[in-house]
Amino acid sequence: MSGLFKTSHPKPYTLNPRRGFSLVETIIYTGLLVLILVAVINMMLLMSHSYNYLKLSRHIQVSAVTALDRMVRDIRNAQSVDVGQSTLGTSPGILTLNTSTVSGTPQTVQFYVSGGGIRVKQDGVDIGPVTLPDVTLTNLVFRQITTGISQAVKIELTLSTGVGPAARSANFYGTAILRDSY
Amino acid sequence: MNLKSTKGVSLVEVVIATALLFLALTGIVTAYNMFVRVGVTTMKTIQATYLLEEGVEAVASIRDFGWTSNIAGLTPGNNYFLFWNGSRWLSTTTVSKIDNTYTRSFTLANVNRGSGDVIVTSGGTVDAGTKKLTVSVSWQNAATTTVRSISTYITNLFNN
């Protein structure tokens, strides 16, 4: 290393343009460059990895909040669970509620699983999904609680997304009493 | 700094340029690290929020089974936990973790009412038909424990 920067120039550590680079210098510079490039590329890969992780987490969060809030609100608004039109206790569950609109007209609301997502039906007509398309539903169980005075529904929900090491999965739970059942 | 001159780039210049570049990159990576950490925390906070909401509804469903037999007998200030027996929620003193992460407990406190039946924090007389319910969810976040709580009043709505 001591001879690396030794030049005829009076100032040390300054490259003499007429001398060019020695082979050792070139090798060391290339080595350093490669090291830095490896570090930078590694960092960029990590960043794209974590970006993907954040994006997938966000999709699960948005889907869970939308689905659970929608279900809990509709359950609270309902008079009863239509047990015959529901799949209770197993996944994928179906929940059919006898509820009413704002103006008081009776309405049935159904939550069911189709194409890996949760969808909503009002009076038998599909009105769309409540989960994002790239989020897969891996578990959805509805359980009915009958207290003798009121009814309640317990929801167990697992959402997953991504493949391989980027795969994310999260469990969400909710219980709501049918406020119109008493 | 005229690169066309015959002087070339000095080593000091190269070192300073590299240091600046690394400083900027370190900043970006640190920020990114924080974003990821916040992302993980957000997921846990959302899960905990729904567990809290469920806790309040679960205690209300226990109330519906009978105030006298299920709520009035619980010692105010004691920690109770919620247990799903397959068909209903029950209160228990046995700790169990939800998904091996979250510990959910609830406490009941006596409610005192003063003149005009207004809820007061001191004085007044104990209202046997009202309890202050506090549900807490705690979980481990690296070395620290995060606790989130919500409070509400529950009443002997059905006089049972």
Side-chain angles (χ1 to χ4, degrees):
Chain A
M1 283 292 282
S2 60
L4 186 56
F5 302 110
K6 201 187 275 176
T7 63
S8 58
H9 203 277
K11 263 197 271 171
Y13 305 122
T14 305
L15 296 174
N16 187 336
R18 278 172 301 160
R19 228 192 99 225
F21 298 101
S22 80
L23 181 65
V24 181
E25 277 171 3
T26 315
I27 288 172
I28 289 175
Y29 293 150
T30 318
L32 275 174
L33 193 74
V34 166
L35 266 177
I36 291 169
L37 274 178
V38 165
V40 168
I41 289 170
N42 204 21
M43 205 171 67
M44 285 170 84
L45 275 175
L46 270 172
M47 281 170 90
S48 89
H49 218 89
S50 55
Y51 170 75
N52 207 30
Y53 176 88
L54 281 180
K55 194 181 78 180
L56 295 180
S57 296
R58 181 97 193 103
H59 286 185
I60 288 187
Q61 289 159 13
V62 168
S63 300
V65 169
T66 311
L68 270 176
D69 276 5
R70 179 70 201 245
M71 289 192 279
V72 165
R73 274 157 198 260
D74 276 333
I75 290 167
R76 284 189 182 146
N77 192 37
Q79 289 107 43
S80 62
V81 176
D82 188 337
V83 179
Q85 296 294 310
S86 301
T87 306
L88 303 169
T90 53
S91 178
I94 299 171
L95 180 69
T96 311
L97 300 163
N98 295 313
T99 178
S100 50
T101 61
V102 182
S103 55
T105 318
Q107 187 184 48
T108 61
V109 174
Q110 186 181 64
F111 295 96
Y112 69 107
V113 179
S114 176
I118 306 173
R119 298 184 73 90
V120 189
K121 265 185 198 170
Q122 277 177 353
D123 285 331
V125 181
D126 183 89
I127 59 158
V130 284
T131 51
L132 286 171
D134 64 344
V135 172
T136 312
L137 186 131
T138 39
N139 185 47
L140 176 66
V141 182
F142 296 108
R143 297 180 199 278
Q144 195 187 9
I145 306 167
T146 311
T147 68
I149 286 174
S150 63
Q151 285 183 49
V153 173
K154 181 179 186 280
I155 310 162
E156 296 158 24
L157 173 67
T158 307
L159 295 174
S160 4
T161 183
V163 282
R168 298 277 294 132
S169 178
N171 294 338
F172 300 90
Y173 302 95
T175 295
I177 298 173
L178 284 70
R179 299 290 197 272
D180 241 3
S181 66
Y182 53 81
Chain B
M1 274 299 281
N2 189 357
L3 296 178
K4 273 184 190 162
S5 78
T6 50
K7 271 184 75 189
V9 186
S10 86
L11 185 67
V12 180
E13 281 171 358
V14 172
V15 168
I16 290 175
T18 318
L20 276 174
L21 196 77
F22 265 96
L23 212 72
L25 283 176
T26 314
I28 293 170
V29 170
T30 312
Y32 226 87
N33 234 329
M34 206 184 72
F35 297 157
V36 174
R37 214 170 314 137
V38 168
V40 175
T41 318
T42 308
M43 183 73 91
K44 292 204 163 167
T45 309
I46 291 175
Q47 286 176 307
T49 307
Y50 282 109
L51 288 174
L52 285 172
E53 195 183 341
E54 185 184 48
V56 171
E57 293 280 311
V59 174
S61 79
I62 292 171
R63 182 268 320 269
D64 292 358
F65 275 101
W67 175 274
T68 315
S69 53
N70 298 303
I71 302 291
L74 300 179
T75 312
N78 277 17
N79 270 334
Y80 292 96
F81 304 90
L82 291 162
F83 166 69
W84 176 258
N85 78 345
S87 61
R88 60 167 286 193
W89 287 106
L90 290 164
S91 62
T92 169
T93 50
T94 315
V95 190
S96 66
K97 276 194 172 177
I98 301 159
D99 289 343
N100 282 321
T101 310
Y102 304 97
T103 310
R104 177 172 57 193
S105 64
F106 73 90
T107 56
L108 295 171
N110 282 332
V111 172
N112 286 23
R113 289 189 192 267
S115 62
D117 284 344
V118 177
I119 291 174
V120 289
T121 45
S122 64
T125 51
V126 174
D127 177 0
T130 307
K131 299 274 182 191
K132 189 183 182 186
L133 165 70
T134 306
V135 181
S136 302
V137 169
S138 67
W139 70 96
Q140 205 71 23
N141 231 345
T144 54
T145 307
T146 309
V147 185
R148 291 279 182 277
S149 302
I150 46 170
S151 291
T152 185
Y153 291 106
I154 56 162
T155 59
N156 187 359
L157 187 65
F158 302 108
N159 198 22
N160 57 359

